[in-house]
Amino acid sequence: DAKTTQPPSMDCAEGRAANLPCNHSTISGNEYVYWYRQIHSQGPQYIIHGLKNNETNEMASLIITEDRKSSTLILPHATLRDTAVYYCIAPFTGTASKLTFGTGTRLQVTL
Amino acid sequence: KAGVTQTPRYLIKTRGQQVTLSCSPISGHRSVSWYQQTPGQGLQFLFEYFSETQRNKGNFPGRFSGRQFSNSRSEMNVSTLELGDSALYLCASRPGWRELVEQFFGPGTRLTVL
C-alpha cells in the first residue's frame, strides 16, 4: 500500500468543520484513497473514498489535491459523536481487502 | 439489513489453549477478512476468505488459521495461545473480493490471554 502520513491528534469545537489532512506522496495513479474511522471500542467504519475528484457523501467530503499527493477529509459540522481515530488508507488495487491501517489521527471534538 | 456479527464478544483464555472466533457477514457478502488490533501494533490484516478459499494472507504465524463455510460465515482459530495474542479481533465483509468497495466491520471479539 502507498504510505500515508497523518497528524497524531487534532481538536475541534463542536459545530465547527473538522479538516483532517493526509499525505500520500507515493500513491500511484490507480490507487484510491479511503477514509475509515474507529470510535472507541467499536470496529472501524467506512467514511468515504476517492481517486482524483473531490467526493461528498452524507458523512463527509474528501478533497484530493490535483497531484494526488495529499487529501483532506472534511466533517462539515463536527459533533461529539465524531470523536474517534480517523484512518487514511491507500491500498494497492489488487489487495483492496488487505487494508493497512496506520496510527491515524485522534480527533477530539469538544464543547 | 443486519450488520456484521461476531461471537463471542469477549473471551478469556489461558496460555496454551486454543480459541475459535466466529463471524457472520452481511447477507449477500461473500468476502470476509480478519484483522487483529493491539495497542502496540495497531490494526493488522490476518487473512481474507472468498467462496470458501483463502485469497490473501497477512504476516502471522501458522497458529492463526481460518476457514469459510458455504454460507459465507467464517471462523478463525488460534492454537497454543500466547499472552501476546490478547487483542481485539475484527471481522469485515464486502460483496466480492476484487472490486474496490468499502469493508463493513463487526464489533470485534476481545480476547484476553492469561
Side-chain angles (χ1 to χ4, degrees), chain B residues 41-110:
Chain B
Q41 299 295 322
L43 246 162
Q44 294 186 289
F45 172 79
L46 280 156
F47 29 65
E48 181 194 23
Y49 286 86
F50 178 81
S51 291
E52 303 176 66
T53 302
Q54 189 179 87
R55 302 288 177 167
N56 275 308
K57 189 176 186 304
N59 297 322
F60 278 82
R63 299 185 298 106
F64 292 81
S65 63
R67 60 177 175 167
Q68 187 180 35
F69 302 95
S70 58
N71 62 357
S72 296
R73 190 177 69 85
S74 177
E75 288 181 348
M76 67 162 282
N77 184 278
V78 187
S79 62
T80 319
L81 284 166
E82 300 176 0
L83 294 180
D85 297 333
S86 293
L88 180 66
Y89 290 89
L90 292 156
C91 160
S93 78
R94 58 189 186 129
W97 73 286
R98 285 193 181 275
E99 64 269 30
L100 288 172
V101 294
E102 65 268 31
Q103 294 191 50
F104 294 85
F105 284 82
T109 294
R110 185 162 296 282

Side-chain angles (χ1 to χ4, degrees), chain A residues 73-87:
Chain A
L73 177 75
I74 301 173
L75 307 179
H77 305 287
T79 70
L80 296 178
R81 286 179 293 182
D82 292 322
T83 293
V85 178
Y86 288 77
Y87 297 98

Side-chain angles (χ1 to χ4, degrees), chain A residues 37-39 41-45, chain B residues 88 90 105-108:
Chain A
R37 73 179 182 183
Q38 188 172 22
I39 295 171
S41 298
Q42 297 182 23
Q45 176 191 25
Chain B
L88 180 66
L90 292 156
F105 284 82

Side-chain angles (χ1 to χ4, degrees), chain A residues 20-65:
Chain A
L20 294 96
C22 178
N23 286 321
H24 33 77
S25 58
T26 62
I27 198 169
S28 66
N30 60 354
E31 289 174 337
Y32 282 72
V33 178
Y34 281 76
W35 283 83
Y36 282 77
R37 73 179 182 183
Q38 188 172 22
I39 295 171
H40 183 60
S41 298
Q42 297 182 23
Q45 176 191 25
Y46 164 82
I47 301 173
I48 199 168
H49 73 279
L51 183 63
K52 291 181 184 178
N53 301 319
N54 299 336
E55 302 287 345
T56 296
N57 63 21
E58 65 278 4
M59 287 184 68
S61 294
L62 176 60
I63 309 297
I64 302 174
T65 58

